[in-house]
Amino acid sequence: VTDVEEAHQAFLLAFCIGIVINQQNGRKAMVVTEANAVGTAYLRAGFLNEGDRDATRDLLREYVEVRLEAAADPQRPSPAALRFERHPDADCRPDFPGGGHQ
């Protein structure tokens, strides 16, 4: 192995490590952004009337459970995720595909 080949291999290794570090930093930034959004929504729910406030905060707690379970094993759908998909109001909410009964 010549010095040129060693230098080329070192360059490729450094380049690959740089890509992996950038990907990891991007994932960290997305997690922080999502956590901040959930925290903000939880705090803003405090401005709602008592019933809506409690319901909103319960849904946010459930959402966090679903996200944590999904992060623990991304290949396996969690019971909480399945429960969220089968929410009884899912078919009449306009933000769900096919929802928003007229």
Side-chain angles (χ1 to χ4, degrees):
V1 180
T2 67
D3 290 340
V4 173
E5 289 174 333
E6 283 183 14
H8 185 252
Q9 288 175 349
F11 172 76
L12 287 176
L13 181 62
F15 184 75
C16 291
I17 289 173
I19 289 173
V20 169
I21 289 172
N22 283 337
Q23 288 175 341
Q24 183 65 25
N25 288 339
R27 283 192 284 272
K28 283 182 186 178
M30 287 188 300
V31 167
V32 169
T33 300
E34 184 175 3
N36 287 337
V38 170
T40 299
Y42 189 89
L43 291 174
R44 289 182 179 170
F47 292 109
L48 300 172
N49 64 43
E50 185 177 353
D52 291 338
R53 177 185 63 229
D54 295 342
T56 299
R57 286 182 170 174
D58 287 343
L59 286 172
L60 287 168
R61 282 187 207 98
E62 185 175 349
Y63 173 77
V64 170
E65 287 177 28
V66 169
R67 293 293 286 136
L68 290 174
E69 289 175 11
D73 186 1
Q75 300 301 318
R76 180 181 60 89
S78 68
L82 295 174
R83 185 174 65 247
F84 189 72
E85 286 180 7
R86 291 191 302 260
H87 191 277
D89 294 334
D91 63 341
C92 62
R93 290 178 28 193
D95 56 329
F96 278 78
H101 296 288
Q102 305 296 329

